Amino acid sequence: MRVRARGLMNLRAVLAPVAAGMCVMAAAAAVLVPTLGSDAEDDGPGRGGPSSPAATHHAYGPGAAPASPALATCTAQNAAESLRPSPDDGAAVERIKEKGQLVVGVDQNTYRWGYRDPATGKLEGFDIDLARAIAEDILGPDAKVVFKAVPTNQRMPALQKRSVDMVVRTMTINCARKEQVAFSTSYFQAGQQVLAPKTSKIKAFDDSLRGKRVCTAAGSTGESELAAQRHGAQVLTVPNQLDCLVQLQLGEADAVVTDNALAAAQAAQDPAVELKGKPFTDESYGVAMNKDDTDLVRRVNKVLDDYRGDGDADSPWMLAYRKWLRADMPGISGPPSPEYSD
């Protein structure tokens, strides 16, 4: 079978090195979309099985897929506020210490943020480094971290069922989500943007999308934005954002709507695509936790304060930025400042 993928993919590979440095490519036939429960220890590959990247087609129109109502006290202006940091141990932190391990929901398909190095099989990326820093603060220098690969639309259920202690997975803080889970302060600022082939006539998140097939991940803020305004596009949803790149490469989608941080990583994987227009939202990424674990929220915020290091050039945050993100997202001078609600 011949697949139209611009000659860039090995149909049986999930990750593939590219010349001039290792660059991760999306797989057409076996994108790794591990389900919750596919534990992946820090020192080896997980057991997540392949999942079809087939997309679900929707015909969103105005009011067809309304967002969950937000709490009255939460607005777009204060959504990124969180509890003030504290090093004290409460019930949630003690529970983690008793287990002797931190269980973190992560992505293993997003280049630069949370992905498997094909040479070592280990999880790496900006989010992975942050998760390890949190584990070390709670459990000490020899902290054991168990990573669970969680699809985009399973992040909140995983926290509510306590299948994971926290989720560190490019998760945008917003009021609807804060009804269901708790968030740390923001550790990265991004925005929704359009990704499409360089040869495409699509210009931005505007009427140039009319009649086009636009892909986004189920449960993502991109899906919410397309539900509110699809610009005449046909919307396809997939379990994980990397599946959208697969759909684009297969010719099954014309564009992708996702955070520009993730879109930049996908453009790094496939030189035939590029970001179109400008970001049209503000997306603050936070560490998500069970809503009852307020002591853990405060502890994570304490870790983030140390991680930011007041924006110093040698702070852990800046070192991680230079290592993972600067090549695709240059010009960022420091982390977002924390905002507190108490």
mmCIF file of all heavy atoms in Angstrom, residues 245-298:
data_model
loop_
_atom_site.group_PDB
_atom_site.id
_atom_site.type_symbol
_atom_site.label_atom_id
_atom_site.label_comp_id
_atom_site.label_asym_id
_atom_site.label_seq_id
_atom_site.Cartn_x
_atom_site.Cartn_y
_atom_site.Cartn_z
ATOM 1 N N LEU A 245 -0.477 15.114 13.580
ATOM 2 C CA LEU A 245 0.614 15.195 12.607
ATOM 3 C C LEU A 245 0.561 14.004 11.654
ATOM 4 O O LEU A 245 0.797 14.139 10.450
ATOM 5 C CB LEU A 245 1.968 15.248 13.315
ATOM 6 C CG LEU A 245 3.198 15.371 12.402
ATOM 7 C CD1 LEU A 245 3.119 16.623 11.537
ATOM 8 C CD2 LEU A 245 4.483 15.368 13.230
ATOM 9 N N VAL A 246 0.222 12.844 12.184
ATOM 10 C CA VAL A 246 0.057 11.667 11.337
ATOM 11 C C VAL A 246 -1.044 11.895 10.310
ATOM 12 O O VAL A 246 -0.882 11.619 9.115
ATOM 13 C CB VAL A 246 -0.263 10.421 12.194
ATOM 14 C CG1 VAL A 246 -0.551 9.216 11.301
ATOM 15 C CG2 VAL A 246 0.884 10.104 13.138
ATOM 16 N N GLN A 247 -2.187 12.421 10.773
ATOM 17 C CA GLN A 247 -3.299 12.688 9.857
ATOM 18 C C GLN A 247 -2.883 13.697 8.784
ATOM 19 O O GLN A 247 -3.257 13.557 7.619
ATOM 20 C CB GLN A 247 -4.497 13.225 10.643
ATOM 21 C CG GLN A 247 -5.112 12.233 11.621
ATOM 22 C CD GLN A 247 -5.760 11.061 10.920
ATOM 23 O OE1 GLN A 247 -6.432 11.229 9.887
ATOM 24 N NE2 GLN A 247 -5.575 9.871 11.450
ATOM 25 N N LEU A 248 -2.093 14.682 9.172
ATOM 26 C CA LEU A 248 -1.608 15.676 8.216
ATOM 27 C C LEU A 248 -0.694 15.021 7.186
ATOM 28 O O LEU A 248 -0.805 15.261 5.978
ATOM 29 C CB LEU A 248 -0.855 16.765 8.985
ATOM 30 C CG LEU A 248 -0.738 18.161 8.370
ATOM 31 C CD1 LEU A 248 -2.110 18.768 8.138
ATOM 32 C CD2 LEU A 248 0.084 19.052 9.293
ATOM 33 N N GLN A 249 0.202 14.167 7.643
ATOM 34 C CA GLN A 249 1.141 13.503 6.747
ATOM 35 C C GLN A 249 0.449 12.504 5.820
ATOM 36 O O GLN A 249 0.884 12.299 4.686
ATOM 37 C CB GLN A 249 2.217 12.801 7.560
ATOM 38 C CG GLN A 249 3.152 13.768 8.281
ATOM 39 C CD GLN A 249 4.116 13.062 9.207
ATOM 40 O OE1 GLN A 249 3.759 12.097 9.876
ATOM 41 N NE2 GLN A 249 5.354 13.540 9.258
ATOM 42 N N LEU A 250 -0.627 11.896 6.297
ATOM 43 C CA LEU A 250 -1.375 10.947 5.470
ATOM 44 C C LEU A 250 -2.300 11.634 4.479
ATOM 45 O O LEU A 250 -2.905 10.984 3.626
ATOM 46 C CB LEU A 250 -2.209 10.011 6.353
ATOM 47 C CG LEU A 250 -1.447 8.988 7.186
ATOM 48 C CD1 LEU A 250 -2.387 8.285 8.160
ATOM 49 C CD2 LEU A 250 -0.767 7.972 6.285
ATOM 50 N N GLY A 251 -2.447 12.941 4.598
ATOM 51 C CA GLY A 251 -3.378 13.656 3.743
ATOM 52 C C GLY A 251 -4.810 13.539 4.199
ATOM 53 O O GLY A 251 -5.733 13.891 3.469
ATOM 54 N N GLU A 252 -5.012 13.072 5.452
ATOM 55 C CA GLU A 252 -6.364 12.929 6.002
ATOM 56 C C GLU A 252 -6.815 14.200 6.712
ATOM 57 O O GLU A 252 -7.969 14.319 7.108
ATOM 58 C CB GLU A 252 -6.409 11.752 6.980
ATOM 59 C CG GLU A 252 -6.086 10.403 6.360
ATOM 60 C CD GLU A 252 -7.108 9.992 5.311
ATOM 61 O OE1 GLU A 252 -8.282 10.374 5.452
ATOM 62 O OE2 GLU A 252 -6.730 9.294 4.344
ATOM 63 N N ALA A 253 -5.903 15.142 6.935
ATOM 64 C CA ALA A 253 -6.231 16.439 7.523
ATOM 65 C C ALA A 253 -5.472 17.511 6.760
ATOM 66 O O ALA A 253 -4.422 17.253 6.162
ATOM 67 C CB ALA A 253 -5.863 16.479 9.002
ATOM 68 N N ASP A 254 -6.029 18.721 6.784
ATOM 69 C CA ASP A 254 -5.401 19.843 6.081
ATOM 70 C C ASP A 254 -4.650 20.766 7.024
ATOM 71 O O ASP A 254 -3.770 21.517 6.585
ATOM 72 C CB ASP A 254 -6.471 20.655 5.340
ATOM 73 C CG ASP A 254 -7.243 19.808 4.334
ATOM 74 O OD1 ASP A 254 -6.596 19.209 3.452
ATOM 75 O OD2 ASP A 254 -8.478 19.729 4.452
ATOM 76 N N ALA A 255 -5.004 20.730 8.302
ATOM 77 C CA ALA A 255 -4.370 21.609 9.277
ATOM 78 C C ALA A 255 -4.571 21.035 10.668
ATOM 79 O O ALA A 255 -5.386 20.133 10.888
ATOM 80 C CB ALA A 255 -4.953 23.019 9.197
ATOM 81 N N VAL A 256 -3.802 21.572 11.604
ATOM 82 C CA VAL A 256 -3.878 21.175 13.009
ATOM 83 C C VAL A 256 -4.054 22.434 13.839
ATOM 84 O O VAL A 256 -3.448 23.468 13.550
ATOM 85 C CB VAL A 256 -2.586 20.446 13.452
ATOM 86 C CG1 VAL A 256 -2.617 20.132 14.942
ATOM 87 C CG2 VAL A 256 -2.374 19.179 12.628
ATOM 88 N N VAL A 257 -4.893 22.355 14.871
ATOM 89 C CA VAL A 257 -4.985 23.430 15.850
ATOM 90 C C VAL A 257 -4.540 22.868 17.194
ATOM 91 O O VAL A 257 -5.100 21.900 17.697
ATOM 92 C CB VAL A 257 -6.417 23.999 15.954
ATOM 93 C CG1 VAL A 257 -6.552 24.919 17.166
ATOM 94 C CG2 VAL A 257 -6.769 24.769 14.688
ATOM 95 N N THR A 258 -3.504 23.487 17.746
ATOM 96 C CA THR A 258 -2.953 23.042 19.021
ATOM 97 C C THR A 258 -2.137 24.180 19.631
ATOM 98 O O THR A 258 -1.985 25.243 19.022
ATOM 99 C CB THR A 258 -2.078 21.785 18.836
ATOM 100 O OG1 THR A 258 -1.680 21.294 20.121
ATOM 101 C CG2 THR A 258 -0.835 22.083 18.021
ATOM 102 N N ASP A 259 -1.614 23.968 20.830
ATOM 103 C CA ASP A 259 -0.741 24.965 21.442
ATOM 104 C C ASP A 259 0.466 25.191 20.534
ATOM 105 O O ASP A 259 1.010 24.242 19.962
ATOM 106 C CB ASP A 259 -0.240 24.487 22.805
ATOM 107 C CG ASP A 259 -1.362 24.150 23.765
ATOM 108 O OD1 ASP A 259 -2.533 24.384 23.417
ATOM 109 O OD2 ASP A 259 -1.062 23.637 24.854
ATOM 110 N N ASN A 260 0.914 26.433 20.447
ATOM 111 C CA ASN A 260 2.063 26.693 19.583
ATOM 112 C C ASN A 260 3.323 25.996 20.085
ATOM 113 O O ASN A 260 4.222 25.681 19.301
ATOM 114 C CB ASN A 260 2.301 28.202 19.428
ATOM 115 C CG ASN A 260 2.626 28.903 20.739
ATOM 116 O OD1 ASN A 260 2.366 28.401 21.823
ATOM 117 N ND2 ASN A 260 3.179 30.099 20.635
ATOM 118 N N ALA A 261 3.395 25.724 21.392
ATOM 119 C CA ALA A 261 4.545 24.980 21.914
ATOM 120 C C ALA A 261 4.585 23.571 21.345
ATOM 121 O O ALA A 261 5.647 23.050 20.992
ATOM 122 C CB ALA A 261 4.491 24.932 23.437
ATOM 123 N N LEU A 262 3.425 22.942 21.239
ATOM 124 C CA LEU A 262 3.353 21.600 20.667
ATOM 125 C C LEU A 262 3.482 21.657 19.150
ATOM 126 O O LEU A 262 4.118 20.791 18.535
ATOM 127 C CB LEU A 262 2.037 20.929 21.054
ATOM 128 C CG LEU A 262 1.711 20.876 22.549
ATOM 129 C CD1 LEU A 262 0.432 20.076 22.794
ATOM 130 C CD2 LEU A 262 2.858 20.271 23.336
ATOM 131 N N ALA A 263 2.890 22.675 18.542
ATOM 132 C CA ALA A 263 2.985 22.819 17.090
ATOM 133 C C ALA A 263 4.435 23.039 16.659
ATOM 134 O O ALA A 263 4.875 22.515 15.632
ATOM 135 C CB ALA A 263 2.111 23.980 16.623
ATOM 136 N N ALA A 264 5.182 23.813 17.438
ATOM 137 C CA ALA A 264 6.587 24.040 17.115
ATOM 138 C C ALA A 264 7.374 22.746 17.168
ATOM 139 O O ALA A 264 8.262 22.497 16.342
ATOM 140 C CB ALA A 264 7.186 25.071 18.078
ATOM 141 N N ALA A 265 7.035 21.888 18.142
ATOM 142 C CA ALA A 265 7.700 20.593 18.245
ATOM 143 C C ALA A 265 7.352 19.713 17.042
ATOM 144 O O ALA A 265 8.204 18.989 16.521
ATOM 145 C CB ALA A 265 7.304 19.902 19.540
ATOM 146 N N GLN A 266 6.098 19.777 16.582
ATOM 147 C CA GLN A 266 5.711 18.987 15.417
ATOM 148 C C GLN A 266 6.376 19.521 14.148
ATOM 149 O O GLN A 266 6.766 18.740 13.267
ATOM 150 C CB GLN A 266 4.182 18.986 15.277
ATOM 151 C CG GLN A 266 3.500 18.205 16.394
ATOM 152 C CD GLN A 266 1.998 18.105 16.213
ATOM 153 O OE1 GLN A 266 1.453 18.406 15.149
ATOM 154 N NE2 GLN A 266 1.325 17.676 17.261
ATOM 155 N N ALA A 267 6.526 20.838 14.053
ATOM 156 C CA ALA A 267 7.233 21.402 12.898
ATOM 157 C C ALA A 267 8.696 20.980 12.899
ATOM 158 O O ALA A 267 9.302 20.812 11.832
ATOM 159 C CB ALA A 267 7.111 22.929 12.913
ATOM 160 N N ALA A 268 9.263 20.776 14.101
ATOM 161 C CA ALA A 268 10.641 20.292 14.189
ATOM 162 C C ALA A 268 10.737 18.841 13.729
ATOM 163 O O ALA A 268 11.774 18.401 13.226
ATOM 164 C CB ALA A 268 11.157 20.418 15.620
ATOM 165 N N GLN A 269 9.644 18.097 13.886
ATOM 166 C CA GLN A 269 9.629 16.702 13.446
ATOM 167 C C GLN A 269 9.453 16.575 11.940
ATOM 168 O O GLN A 269 9.942 15.633 11.330
ATOM 169 C CB GLN A 269 8.476 15.947 14.136
ATOM 170 C CG GLN A 269 8.661 15.770 15.628
ATOM 171 C CD GLN A 269 7.399 15.229 16.274
ATOM 172 O OE1 GLN A 269 6.508 15.970 16.634
ATOM 173 N NE2 GLN A 269 7.335 13.925 16.404
ATOM 174 N N ASP A 270 8.741 17.511 11.343
ATOM 175 C CA ASP A 270 8.412 17.421 9.921
ATOM 176 C C ASP A 270 8.693 18.768 9.253
ATOM 177 O O ASP A 270 7.925 19.713 9.412
ATOM 178 C CB ASP A 270 6.938 17.044 9.754
ATOM 179 C CG ASP A 270 6.563 16.798 8.303
ATOM 180 O OD1 ASP A 270 7.322 17.205 7.403
ATOM 181 O OD2 ASP A 270 5.501 16.193 8.069
ATOM 182 N N PRO A 271 9.777 18.884 8.508
ATOM 183 C CA PRO A 271 10.132 20.168 7.891
ATOM 184 C C PRO A 271 9.187 20.606 6.789
ATOM 185 O O PRO A 271 9.337 21.727 6.272
ATOM 186 C CB PRO A 271 11.533 19.907 7.332
ATOM 187 C CG PRO A 271 11.608 18.427 7.138
ATOM 188 C CD PRO A 271 10.776 17.835 8.234
ATOM 189 N N ALA A 272 8.194 19.789 6.428
ATOM 190 C CA ALA A 272 7.251 20.177 5.378
ATOM 191 C C ALA A 272 6.069 20.976 5.930
ATOM 192 O O ALA A 272 5.231 21.448 5.163
ATOM 193 C CB ALA A 272 6.730 18.938 4.647
ATOM 194 N N VAL A 273 5.981 21.130 7.277
ATOM 195 C CA VAL A 273 4.877 21.878 7.870
ATOM 196 C C VAL A 273 5.422 23.097 8.601
ATOM 197 O O VAL A 273 6.612 23.168 8.924
ATOM 198 C CB VAL A 273 4.040 21.005 8.827
ATOM 199 C CG1 VAL A 273 3.473 19.800 8.082
ATOM 200 C CG2 VAL A 273 4.871 20.551 10.031
ATOM 201 N N GLU A 274 4.533 24.064 8.884
ATOM 202 C CA GLU A 274 4.945 25.281 9.564
ATOM 203 C C GLU A 274 3.770 25.876 10.333
ATOM 204 O O GLU A 274 2.598 25.566 10.056
ATOM 205 C CB GLU A 274 5.491 26.300 8.573
ATOM 206 C CG GLU A 274 4.443 26.835 7.610
ATOM 207 C CD GLU A 274 5.005 27.835 6.605
ATOM 208 O OE1 GLU A 274 6.222 28.075 6.637
ATOM 209 O OE2 GLU A 274 4.210 28.370 5.794
ATOM 210 N N LEU A 275 4.080 26.737 11.292
ATOM 211 C CA LEU A 275 3.060 27.474 12.017
ATOM 212 C C LEU A 275 2.495 28.566 11.120
ATOM 213 O O LEU A 275 3.233 29.249 10.411
ATOM 214 C CB LEU A 275 3.655 28.090 13.283
ATOM 215 C CG LEU A 275 4.101 27.088 14.347
ATOM 216 C CD1 LEU A 275 5.000 27.763 15.367
ATOM 217 C CD2 LEU A 275 2.910 26.468 15.041
ATOM 218 N N LYS A 276 1.173 28.733 11.175
ATOM 219 C CA LYS A 276 0.498 29.735 10.347
ATOM 220 C C LYS A 276 -0.123 30.813 11.241
ATOM 221 O O LYS A 276 -0.717 30.519 12.277
ATOM 222 C CB LYS A 276 -0.613 29.075 9.526
ATOM 223 C CG LYS A 276 -0.146 27.961 8.597
ATOM 224 C CD LYS A 276 0.551 28.501 7.352
ATOM 225 C CE LYS A 276 0.835 27.397 6.345
ATOM 226 N NZ LYS A 276 1.408 27.910 5.090
ATOM 227 N N GLY A 277 0.009 32.068 10.823
ATOM 228 C CA GLY A 277 -0.572 33.162 11.584
ATOM 229 C C GLY A 277 0.104 33.335 12.932
ATOM 230 O O GLY A 277 1.276 32.995 13.116
ATOM 231 N N LYS A 278 -0.644 33.857 13.894
ATOM 232 C CA LYS A 278 -0.139 34.105 15.232
ATOM 233 C C LYS A 278 -0.979 33.354 16.255
ATOM 234 O O LYS A 278 -2.113 32.959 15.969
ATOM 235 C CB LYS A 278 -0.173 35.609 15.528
ATOM 236 C CG LYS A 278 0.736 36.441 14.636
ATOM 237 C CD LYS A 278 0.656 37.917 15.006
ATOM 238 C CE LYS A 278 1.588 38.749 14.122
ATOM 239 N NZ LYS A 278 1.504 40.196 14.471
ATOM 240 N N PRO A 279 -0.448 33.159 17.468
ATOM 241 C CA PRO A 279 -1.267 32.542 18.528
ATOM 242 C C PRO A 279 -2.521 33.381 18.765
ATOM 243 O O PRO A 279 -2.465 34.616 18.762
ATOM 244 C CB PRO A 279 -0.341 32.560 19.752
ATOM 245 C CG PRO A 279 1.045 32.620 19.186
ATOM 246 C CD PRO A 279 0.929 33.439 17.937
ATOM 247 N N PHE A 280 -3.652 32.712 18.966
ATOM 248 C CA PHE A 280 -4.910 33.446 19.139
ATOM 249 C C PHE A 280 -5.515 33.242 20.528
ATOM 250 O O PHE A 280 -6.647 33.667 20.780
ATOM 251 C CB PHE A 280 -5.910 33.072 18.034
ATOM 252 C CG PHE A 280 -6.216 31.597 17.928
ATOM 253 C CD1 PHE A 280 -7.273 31.036 18.626
ATOM 254 C CD2 PHE A 280 -5.447 30.773 17.108
ATOM 255 C CE1 PHE A 280 -7.564 29.684 18.516
ATOM 256 C CE2 PHE A 280 -5.732 29.428 16.989
ATOM 257 C CZ PHE A 280 -6.788 28.875 17.696
ATOM 258 N N THR A 281 -4.791 32.597 21.437
ATOM 259 C CA THR A 281 -5.208 32.476 22.835
ATOM 260 C C THR A 281 -3.968 32.597 23.718
ATOM 261 O O THR A 281 -2.836 32.569 23.223
ATOM 262 C CB THR A 281 -5.873 31.111 23.128
ATOM 263 O OG1 THR A 281 -4.900 30.067 22.952
ATOM 264 C CG2 THR A 281 -7.080 30.855 22.238
ATOM 265 N N ASP A 282 -4.195 32.713 25.018
ATOM 266 C CA ASP A 282 -3.132 32.617 26.014
ATOM 267 C C ASP A 282 -3.313 31.309 26.767
ATOM 268 O O ASP A 282 -4.391 31.049 27.302
ATOM 269 C CB ASP A 282 -3.181 33.784 27.004
ATOM 270 C CG ASP A 282 -2.781 35.106 26.354
ATOM 271 O OD1 ASP A 282 -1.872 35.091 25.517
ATOM 272 O OD2 ASP A 282 -3.393 36.137 26.691
ATOM 273 N N GLU A 283 -2.278 30.488 26.789
ATOM 274 C CA GLU A 283 -2.338 29.179 27.421
ATOM 275 C C GLU A 283 -1.267 29.098 28.508
ATOM 276 O O GLU A 283 -0.074 29.139 28.206
ATOM 277 C CB GLU A 283 -2.087 28.067 26.388
ATOM 278 C CG GLU A 283 -2.946 28.151 25.146
ATOM 279 C CD GLU A 283 -4.338 27.590 25.350
ATOM 280 O OE1 GLU A 283 -4.497 26.688 26.199
ATOM 281 O OE2 GLU A 283 -5.262 28.061 24.667
ATOM 282 N N SER A 284 -1.691 29.000 29.758
ATOM 283 C CA SER A 284 -0.762 28.838 30.874
ATOM 284 C C SER A 284 -0.727 27.371 31.273
ATOM 285 O O SER A 284 -1.753 26.805 31.663
ATOM 286 C CB SER A 284 -1.200 29.684 32.076
ATOM 287 O OG SER A 284 -1.140 31.053 31.794
ATOM 288 N N TYR A 285 0.433 26.730 31.152
ATOM 289 C CA TYR A 285 0.566 25.332 31.543
ATOM 290 C C TYR A 285 0.766 25.232 33.056
ATOM 291 O O TYR A 285 1.560 25.985 33.640
ATOM 292 C CB TYR A 285 1.773 24.678 30.866
ATOM 293 C CG TYR A 285 1.660 24.516 29.369
ATOM 294 C CD1 TYR A 285 2.797 24.210 28.621
ATOM 295 C CD2 TYR A 285 0.464 24.658 28.703
ATOM 296 C CE1 TYR A 285 2.731 24.054 27.239
ATOM 297 C CE2 TYR A 285 0.391 24.503 27.321
ATOM 298 C CZ TYR A 285 1.524 24.208 26.599
ATOM 299 O OH TYR A 285 1.446 24.059 25.238
ATOM 300 N N GLY A 286 0.076 24.276 33.667
ATOM 301 C CA GLY A 286 0.247 24.043 35.088
ATOM 302 C C GLY A 286 0.340 22.558 35.378
ATOM 303 O O GLY A 286 -0.073 21.719 34.574
ATOM 304 N N VAL A 287 0.903 22.228 36.546
ATOM 305 C CA VAL A 287 0.885 20.847 37.035
ATOM 306 C C VAL A 287 -0.491 20.619 37.642
ATOM 307 O O VAL A 287 -0.949 21.401 38.483
ATOM 308 C CB VAL A 287 1.979 20.627 38.098
ATOM 309 C CG1 VAL A 287 1.917 19.203 38.651
ATOM 310 C CG2 VAL A 287 3.357 20.920 37.515
ATOM 311 N N ALA A 288 -1.176 19.572 37.224
ATOM 312 C CA ALA A 288 -2.530 19.290 37.697
ATOM 313 C C ALA A 288 -2.514 18.214 38.774
ATOM 314 O O ALA A 288 -1.737 17.262 38.702
ATOM 315 C CB ALA A 288 -3.417 18.857 36.537
ATOM 316 N N MET A 289 -3.375 18.390 39.770
ATOM 317 C CA MET A 289 -3.472 17.448 40.894
ATOM 318 C C MET A 289 -4.925 17.241 41.289
ATOM 319 O O MET A 289 -5.814 17.982 40.837
ATOM 320 C CB MET A 289 -2.664 17.992 42.080
ATOM 321 C CG MET A 289 -1.154 17.954 41.866
ATOM 322 S SD MET A 289 -0.254 19.222 42.788
ATOM 323 C CE MET A 289 -0.443 20.634 41.700
ATOM 324 N N ASN A 290 -5.179 16.250 42.136
ATOM 325 C CA ASN A 290 -6.517 16.033 42.660
ATOM 326 C C ASN A 290 -6.954 17.264 43.442
ATOM 327 O O ASN A 290 -6.162 17.871 44.168
ATOM 328 C CB ASN A 290 -6.527 14.797 43.559
ATOM 329 C CG ASN A 290 -7.928 14.427 44.010
ATOM 330 O OD1 ASN A 290 -8.493 15.071 44.886
ATOM 331 N ND2 ASN A 290 -8.475 13.376 43.425
ATOM 332 N N LYS A 291 -8.210 17.619 43.318
ATOM 333 C CA LYS A 291 -8.701 18.858 43.909
ATOM 334 C C LYS A 291 -8.577 18.876 45.431
ATOM 335 O O LYS A 291 -8.483 19.944 46.041
ATOM 336 C CB LYS A 291 -10.157 19.074 43.496
ATOM 337 C CG LYS A 291 -10.578 20.518 43.469
ATOM 338 C CD LYS A 291 -11.933 20.691 42.830
ATOM 339 C CE LYS A 291 -12.307 22.165 42.774
ATOM 340 N NZ LYS A 291 -13.651 22.363 42.198
ATOM 341 N N ASP A 292 -8.578 17.699 46.059
ATOM 342 C CA ASP A 292 -8.486 17.627 47.519
ATOM 343 C C ASP A 292 -7.056 17.735 48.036
ATOM 344 O O ASP A 292 -6.840 17.901 49.239
ATOM 345 C CB ASP A 292 -9.102 16.320 48.027
ATOM 346 C CG ASP A 292 -10.607 16.259 47.801
ATOM 347 O OD1 ASP A 292 -11.234 17.332 47.748
ATOM 348 O OD2 ASP A 292 -11.136 15.138 47.670
ATOM 349 N N ASP A 293 -6.074 17.648 47.156
ATOM 350 C CA ASP A 293 -4.670 17.581 47.586
ATOM 351 C C ASP A 293 -4.049 18.979 47.680
ATOM 352 O O ASP A 293 -3.060 19.301 47.026
ATOM 353 C CB ASP A 293 -3.862 16.706 46.627
ATOM 354 C CG ASP A 293 -4.269 15.250 46.697
ATOM 355 O OD1 ASP A 293 -4.993 14.868 47.634
ATOM 356 O OD2 ASP A 293 -3.857 14.479 45.806
ATOM 357 N N THR A 294 -4.626 19.813 48.535
ATOM 358 C CA THR A 294 -4.160 21.203 48.610
ATOM 359 C C THR A 294 -2.728 21.303 49.125
ATOM 360 O O THR A 294 -1.981 22.194 48.706
ATOM 361 C CB THR A 294 -5.093 22.031 49.504
ATOM 362 O OG1 THR A 294 -5.218 21.401 50.789
ATOM 363 C CG2 THR A 294 -6.479 22.145 48.874
ATOM 364 N N ASP A 295 -2.334 20.399 50.027
ATOM 365 C CA ASP A 295 -0.956 20.454 50.518
ATOM 366 C C ASP A 295 0.039 20.122 49.411
ATOM 367 O O ASP A 295 1.133 20.687 49.346
ATOM 368 C CB ASP A 295 -0.753 19.522 51.713
ATOM 369 C CG ASP A 295 -0.901 18.059 51.344
ATOM 370 O OD1 ASP A 295 -1.990 17.666 50.871
ATOM 371 O OD2 ASP A 295 0.073 17.287 51.509
ATOM 372 N N LEU A 296 -0.349 19.222 48.496
ATOM 373 C CA LEU A 296 0.521 18.873 47.376
ATOM 374 C C LEU A 296 0.622 20.046 46.405
ATOM 375 O O LEU A 296 1.699 20.310 45.846
ATOM 376 C CB LEU A 296 -0.008 17.627 46.665
ATOM 377 C CG LEU A 296 0.851 17.077 45.523
ATOM 378 C CD1 LEU A 296 2.262 16.737 46.000
ATOM 379 C CD2 LEU A 296 0.180 15.840 44.904
ATOM 380 N N VAL A 297 -0.489 20.762 46.192
ATOM 381 C CA VAL A 297 -0.461 21.946 45.339
ATOM 382 C C VAL A 297 0.544 22.959 45.890
ATOM 383 O O VAL A 297 1.381 23.504 45.148
ATOM 384 C CB VAL A 297 -1.861 22.579 45.237
ATOM 385 C CG1 VAL A 297 -1.791 23.900 44.454
ATOM 386 C CG2 VAL A 297 -2.846 21.626 44.560
ATOM 387 N N ARG A 298 0.484 23.202 47.195
ATOM 388 C CA ARG A 298 1.407 24.169 47.801
ATOM 389 C C ARG A 298 2.856 23.684 47.701
ATOM 390 O O ARG A 298 3.770 24.478 47.481
ATOM 391 C CB ARG A 298 1.021 24.415 49.259
ATOM 392 C CG ARG A 298 -0.328 25.112 49.430
ATOM 393 C CD ARG A 298 -0.594 25.452 50.879
ATOM 394 N NE ARG A 298 -1.929 25.979 51.090
ATOM 395 C CZ ARG A 298 -2.288 27.250 50.899
ATOM 396 N NH1 ARG A 298 -1.387 28.131 50.487
ATOM 397 N NH2 ARG A 298 -3.529 27.647 51.127
#
